[in-house]
Amino acid sequence: MKLLSSLFKKKEQVKEHKSQIMPIPLKEKHNEKVATRKGEIGEYKIDIQLSQLPKEYIHLSDIMLKNDKAKSGYSQIDHIVITSYGIFVIETKNYQGTIYGSKDRKTWTVNGKYKMMNPFIQNYGHIQAIKNHIEEKYHYSFISMVSFTKRCTFKIDELDFRKMSSDELIVYDVELSEYIHRKVSVNKIHNKEQILKEDEIKRIYSILVEANIEDHSIRKQHVQFLKLEGEVHIQNQQAKCCVCNKTVSDKVKSFCLSSKKFNGKIYCFEHQKSLG
């Protein structure tokens, strides 16, 4: 009996000790972990897609290059795939919902509410950063790709970013390797000779690896700068009617962006009536 009693006492002591050292997680911390986890899953799916590419395709991930034209002084590129028939620069997005946008709009929206920079404008800056490090004769071999998760639906007007004839392509993460294959096949038809030879592919790869900034403090400062700039942009941004450019209130802005009828665009009261 004494032995059983001592065992129960030890179990109670262990429970008490665990309750003292295990703090209750804050909701904010939990949300951060969920967001990080989603990002990790998204990148894992991209890595699977890239691993399915032929061995002669060379790819790099998470490359940071100096870019004097960027406000932070740097460009951070998600993925680069170098092939004989083009250099693919890939920007990955982990949003959920309906994506509204067009080629000429500086900002796109998710579900008509959350605004983001036009990802092709963002990727244009990345491509310019790469061009600064390689020879000019390779500057016409770039294909800009933006990858979204399957949790998204595209409502992109004015230009079909899904056509293989375009050098700006929107894809779902699960079809990334397929679209790269198809685009390479199209470029093979249009080019009798390879755009990049094997030794040129290796040279470009070596240049980018050497130029890649791995310093953790610089990378952290870059991320913090982008976060702060995004917050300032949201605060300073004035909502305007897309027809007459008249400034509208936050209430009108919220109404337009929440209504499917306006397709992610903002209209003043008068032009709302004209749409019926």
Side-chain angles (χ1 to χ4, degrees), residues 95-134:
Y95 296 119
Q96 178 176 342
T98 304
I99 309 298
Y100 296 94
S102 66
K103 183 179 180 181
D104 299 323
R105 286 175 63 180
K106 289 184 179 179
T107 56
W108 290 10
T109 61
V110 183
N111 294 327
K113 296 178 181 179
Y114 177 77
K115 288 198 173 187
M116 65 173 176
M117 179 189 288
N118 180 333
F120 287 103
I121 294 176
Q122 186 179 4
N123 223 21
Y124 172 81
H126 296 164
I127 290 171
Q128 294 305 115
I130 298 172
K131 285 181 178 180
N132 291 337
H133 291 83
I134 65 174

Side-chain angles (χ1 to χ4, degrees), residues 5-162:
S5 176
S6 64
L7 283 173
F8 281 120
K9 281 182 180 180
K10 283 183 180 179
K11 284 185 179 180
E12 289 300 323
Q13 287 172 356
V14 169
K15 285 181 181 178
E16 185 180 352
H17 177 65
K18 283 186 177 180
S19 65
Q20 288 173 354
I21 64 171
M22 300 264 310
I24 298 171
L26 296 174
K27 187 175 181 181
E28 184 179 352
K29 291 289 184 182
H30 173 71
N31 290 339
E32 286 178 5
K33 286 181 180 179
V34 170
T36 302
R37 180 62 179 156
K38 284 183 179 179
E40 289 173 353
I41 293 171
E43 284 303 315
Y44 175 69
K45 288 163 72 177
I46 295 293
D47 288 341
I48 291 175
Q49 287 291 310
L50 294 176
S51 69
Q52 294 173 0
L53 296 172
K55 291 181 179 178
E56 60 268 25
Y57 294 7
I58 296 180
H59 70 265
L60 305 93
S61 297
D62 192 20
I63 298 296
M64 178 178 276
L65 303 174
K66 276 192 174 183
N67 185 359
D68 294 336
K69 292 187 178 179
K71 290 182 179 180
S72 69
Y74 302 94
S75 284
Q76 192 165 8
I77 305 157
D78 290 335
H79 304 280
I80 305 168
V81 178
I82 311 170
T83 78
S84 299
Y85 288 92
I87 302 172
F88 295 81
V89 180
I90 304 162
E91 173 69 19
T92 60
K93 298 296 183 186
N94 195 34
Y95 296 119
Q96 178 176 342
T98 304
I99 309 298
Y100 296 94
S102 66
K103 183 179 180 181
D104 299 323
R105 286 175 63 180
K106 289 184 179 179
T107 56
W108 290 10
T109 61
V110 183
N111 294 327
K113 296 178 181 179
Y114 177 77
K115 288 198 173 187
M116 65 173 176
M117 179 189 288
N118 180 333
F120 287 103
I121 294 176
Q122 186 179 4
N123 223 21
Y124 172 81
H126 296 164
I127 290 171
Q128 294 305 115
I130 298 172
K131 285 181 178 180
N132 291 337
H133 291 83
I134 65 174
E135 296 173 59
E136 190 175 349
K137 63 180 179 179
Y138 305 126
H139 288 192
Y140 302 97
S141 57
F142 286 93
I143 299 100
S144 178
M145 297 186 79
V146 179
S147 167
F148 285 91
T149 69
K150 283 291 284 183
R151 299 194 305 275
C152 289
T153 302
F154 302 138
K155 295 290 183 181
I156 310 297
D157 56 13
E158 296 181 25
L159 184 67
D160 188 352
F161 289 109
R162 303 274 288 172

Side-chain angles (χ1 to χ4, degrees), residues 219-272:
R219 284 174 170 261
K220 187 177 180 180
Q221 287 174 10
H222 172 72
V223 172
Q224 289 175 340
F225 177 87
L226 293 181
K227 185 179 179 181
L228 180 62
E229 186 183 26
E231 290 172 354
V232 171
H233 175 73
I234 291 170
Q235 290 172 2
N236 295 339
Q237 193 174 45
Q238 287 186 315
K240 294 183 179 181
C241 174
C242 65
V243 178
C244 64
N245 210 35
K246 178 183 176 181
T247 300
V248 300
S249 67
D250 288 338
K251 187 175 181 180
V252 172
K253 172 187 171 182
S254 297
F255 172 75
C256 290
L257 293 179
S258 62
S259 174
K260 291 183 178 179
K261 181 172 75 171
F262 301 126
N263 198 28
K265 296 180 180 179
I266 297 171
Y267 296 89
C268 66
F269 183 70
E270 292 299 319
H271 287 106
Q272 286 179 34

Side-chain angles (χ1 to χ4, degrees), residues 144-238:
S144 178
M145 297 186 79
V146 179
S147 167
F148 285 91
T149 69
K150 283 291 284 183
R151 299 194 305 275
C152 289
T153 302
F154 302 138
K155 295 290 183 181
I156 310 297
D157 56 13
E158 296 181 25
L159 184 67
D160 188 352
F161 289 109
R162 303 274 288 172
K163 288 181 179 177
M164 283 298 126
S165 57
S166 175
D167 284 335
E168 294 181 323
L169 296 169
I170 281 183
V171 301
Y172 288 115
D173 51 8
V174 295
E175 61 186 15
L176 181 63
S177 61
E178 175 197 346
Y179 263 69
I180 291 175
H181 280 303
R182 290 172 63 188
K183 184 60 182 177
V184 166
S185 298
V186 169
N187 283 356
K188 277 184 181 179
I189 296 170
H190 295 300
N191 296 274
K192 293 181 180 179
E193 296 183 359
Q194 293 180 345
I195 298 172
L196 297 170
K197 296 178 181 177
E198 186 179 349
D199 62 322
E200 293 175 310
I201 292 173
K202 289 180 179 178
R203 187 164 73 250
I204 292 171
Y205 172 82
S206 297
I207 290 169
L208 295 178
V209 168
E210 188 175 345
N212 181 37
I213 296 168
E214 297 182 347
D215 188 303
H216 292 295
S217 61
I218 295 176
R219 284 174 170 261
K220 187 177 180 180
Q221 287 174 10
H222 172 72
V223 172
Q224 289 175 340
F225 177 87
L226 293 181
K227 185 179 179 181
L228 180 62
E229 186 183 26
E231 290 172 354
V232 171
H233 175 73
I234 291 170
Q235 290 172 2
N236 295 339
Q237 193 174 45
Q238 287 186 315

